[in-house]
Amino acid sequence: MVIRGTASVKCPGCGTQQDCPLVQTIDIRENAADKQKLLDGELNVLACACGKRTQLAANVLFRQGDLTCQVVPGGEKAMEEAAAAFAASGIGGTRRLVPSLNALVEKVKLLDAGLDDRAIEMTKVLLLASRQSPAGSVSGGELERVLLFDGLDKEAGVIRWVMFDEDGRPERVSSAVAPYEKLAQRPQADSELRVDRAWAVEAVKAMLANAN
Ligand SMILES: [Zn+2]
């Protein structure tokens, strides 16, 4: 089922009220074009005649293969309601809740690359933690950094990332794929709905505590 609608929104640039098409579900079996729009950053964007482009905050449900991922803007309370709705829906497989379309884009890229998002988020934490001393600690400002998956280069054996500094400037970095693969082999329950930085910091802490 594909849900399309129209939202009446006010352009934040010029204040003009106008209708903008809104996609609220993407099911890859029926709807590959919208997936491409999502990856291109063109989904649910109000492109105003004044030139201002604004991404609309909307619930979007994405389904592909085993993955069901829902975008839930609106903060913690909305997340809790969405988690309850997910539990009641009886949807199986891998289920995720994310706060933004950008977060969904990363999940979709990981799915397409055949990577496990839990092991990827833990890899990010270990990568960021390794940039600071003392070694082995999982804390500090580096862990607040935005680090996004950019691609897997199987031939070179590296994962490519985009890291953003305090001023939001992007920097391309890469890391060996081997530490990720080790993490991906660890048995993990897949009941977690929110696999994000906060989750990964706790998961890495628990892993290090068990290793000691
Ligand atoms: Zn405008």
Side-chain angles (χ1 to χ4, degrees):
M1 184 173 57
V2 178
I3 300 175
R4 289 169 190 283
T6 306
S8 176
V9 284
K10 198 178 194 174
C11 170
C14 66
T16 305
Q17 193 79 27
Q18 55 205 291
D19 288 343
C20 179
L22 194 65
V23 173
Q24 293 198 272
T25 65
I26 299 178
D27 189 323
I28 197 62
R29 287 166 302 183
E30 306 167 31
N31 197 6
D34 281 333
K35 176 186 171 184
Q36 194 55 49
K37 280 178 103 173
L38 170 74
L39 293 174
D40 293 341
E42 300 288 334
L43 191 79
N44 295 345
V45 170
L46 169 67
C48 184
C50 77
K52 176 96 179 159
R53 297 172 63 81
T54 310
Q55 195 170 65
L56 306 184
N59 278 279
V60 176
L61 187 72
F62 178 92
R63 303 192 76 167
Q64 178 176 326
D66 190 44
L67 174 71
T68 304
C69 185
Q70 187 171 5
V71 180
V72 186
E76 203 52 39
K77 192 160 182 295
M79 276 287 187
E80 282 168 20
E81 287 168 5
F86 241 179
S89 71
I91 293 172
T94 301
R95 301 173 302 166
R96 295 287 184 263
L97 298 176
V98 294
S100 67
L101 275 177
N102 285 341
L104 172 59
V105 167
E106 188 177 40
K107 295 289 184 204
V108 173
K109 283 184 177 176
L110 291 172
L111 181 69
D112 285 346
L115 300 176
D116 182 309
D117 66 334
R118 294 163 302 171
I120 282 289
E121 291 300 328
M122 290 174 77
T123 301
K124 288 183 191 178
V125 168
L126 291 172
L127 259 177
L128 293 171
S130 73
R131 291 168 58 91
Q132 58 182 14
S133 56
S137 75
V138 184
S139 62
E142 290 280 339
L143 289 180
E144 304 292 319
R145 286 220 189 191
V146 176
L147 181 63
L148 295 177
F149 171 75
D150 192 40
L152 171 67
D153 188 336
K154 279 188 183 156
E155 210 138 283
V158 296
I159 299 174
R160 301 196 192 286
W161 313 89
V162 182
M163 186 183 292
F164 294 86
D165 69 12
E166 290 84 349
D167 301 319
R169 278 186 298 254
E171 178 194 350
R172 297 196 172 274
V173 293
S174 61
S175 70
V177 75
Y180 157 81
E181 283 172 343
K182 224 171 137 187
L183 288 168
Q185 280 160 12
R186 299 173 71 244
Q188 289 196 55
D190 202 1
S191 55
E192 186 58 48
L193 293 179
R194 290 165 70 179
V195 175
D196 53 14
R197 181 67 51 82
W199 172 86
V201 167
E202 294 309 314
V204 167
K205 279 181 182 168
M207 180 179 72
L208 295 178
N210 284 334
N212 288 337

